[in-house]
């Protein structure tokens, strides 16, 4: 198995956390990539016309994307229960969508600040994206996450970790003791520590 990756992509991190938890990480070859929203990696585009990471190549040659699809494939391969069944499945998928939404908004805000020429930046756009981020973290504060380990909690944790990495000034922990305590514990999982952004 192979994965086109970027060590600081939160979506790649989500896949690799699941792979570590299922004891599959050692079987996945990490292929370098130079993907971006402006300059696109031709090598990745040959397998994934979106030119995004993660892009995953299974042992039988099947190419899978995006991160949720890859995670579900790994879960099936490793006999896991990250997606669950019945009501738990819908809860897990909804929580994963919440975490993915946080990541999507945070990435758009980062691209606006880091890639767009300063004279073309739109402050209202960035503010709107970061308001989504704040609303998601407020919702996480209300959630009963407990000791759950599923696609929802992994995605939310990778989202909060991305905020620490790219938006330290946001101080998402302020006024959110439950989310702070939950993340502090979850971030100590070996899978999370092994996939922490490199800086």
């Amino acid at each position: 198995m192979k994965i086109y990756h970027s060590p600081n992509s939160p979506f790649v991190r989500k896949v690799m956390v699941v792979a570590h938890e299922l004891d599959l990480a050692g079987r996945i070859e990490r292929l370098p990539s130079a993907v971006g929203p402006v300059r696109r990696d031709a090598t990745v585009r040959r397998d994934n016309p979106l030119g995004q990471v993660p892009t995953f190549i299974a042992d039988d040659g099947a190419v899978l994307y995006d991160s949720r699809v890859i995670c579900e494939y790994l879960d099936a391969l490793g006999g896991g229960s990250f997606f669950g069944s019945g009501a738990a499945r819908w809860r897990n998928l909804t929580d994963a969508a919440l975490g993915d939404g946080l990541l999507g908004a945070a990435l758009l805000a980062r691209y606006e600040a880091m890639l767009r020429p300063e004279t073309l930046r739109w402050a209202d756009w960035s503010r709107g994206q970061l308001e989504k981020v704040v609303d998601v973290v407020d919702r996480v504060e209300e959630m009963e996450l407990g000791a759950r380990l599923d696609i929802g909690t992994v995605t939310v944790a990778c989202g909060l970790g991305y905020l620490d990495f790219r938006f330290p000034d946001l101080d998402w922990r302020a006024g959110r003791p439950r989310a702070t305590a939950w993340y502090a514990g979850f971030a100590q999982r070996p899978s999370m520590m092994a996939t922490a952004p490199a800086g």
Side-chain angles (χ1 to χ4, degrees):
M1 296 183 287
K2 301 176 182 179
I3 188 169
Y4 287 107
H5 85 298
S6 168
N8 295 330
S9 163
F11 293 104
V12 171
R13 185 182 192 193
K14 177 173 66 167
V15 169
M16 294 310 299
V17 167
V18 170
H20 277 279
E21 293 287 350
L22 293 169
D23 201 27
L24 296 171
R27 293 173 51 187
I28 301 173
E29 179 185 353
R30 292 154 185 84
L31 303 175
S33 71
V35 299
V38 179
R39 296 180 61 201
R40 302 175 67 223
D41 188 321
T43 302
V44 177
R45 287 170 57 202
R46 279 196 294 270
D47 288 310
N48 177 354
L50 297 171
Q52 297 174 337
V53 294
T55 294
F56 184 87
I57 305 170
D59 284 339
D60 65 2
V63 178
L64 304 176
Y65 42 85
D66 62 4
S67 61
R68 196 200 73 127
V69 174
I70 300 167
C71 287
E72 192 153 6
Y73 174 85
L74 293 174
D75 193 52
L77 183 66
S81 57
F82 277 86
F83 289 80
S85 61
R89 176 175 174 80
W90 305 124
R91 178 202 65 193
N92 297 346
L93 288 172
T94 299
D95 291 350
L98 188 72
D100 282 339
L102 182 157
L103 287 172
L107 281 168
L108 288 174
R110 177 161 172 79
Y111 291 159
E112 185 73 14
M114 302 304 295
L115 298 180
R116 189 179 298 277
E118 188 171 358
T119 57
L120 300 177
R121 290 179 192 159
W122 187 11
D124 287 345
W125 171 269
S126 296
R127 184 166 38 257
Q129 300 309 314
L130 291 176
E131 284 175 359
K132 292 180 190 178
V133 169
V134 170
D135 286 349
V136 170
V137 181
D138 284 343
R139 178 59 56 89
V140 173
E141 176 68 10
E142 299 169 358
M143 293 165 68
E144 297 289 344
L145 298 174
R148 284 172 46 195
L149 176 63
D150 54 59
I151 195 60
T153 55
V154 168
T155 307
V156 167
C158 289
L160 297 177
Y162 187 74
L163 295 182
D164 281 346
F165 179 54
R166 293 297 193 199
F167 295 89
D169 294 341
L170 187 62
D171 192 17
W172 65 263
R173 291 172 177 80
R176 301 182 185 95
R178 293 177 65 205
T180 299
W182 173 79
Y183 179 71
F186 200 94
Q188 293 304 306
R189 298 188 70 84
S191 61
M192 290 289 288
M193 296 175 71
T195 58

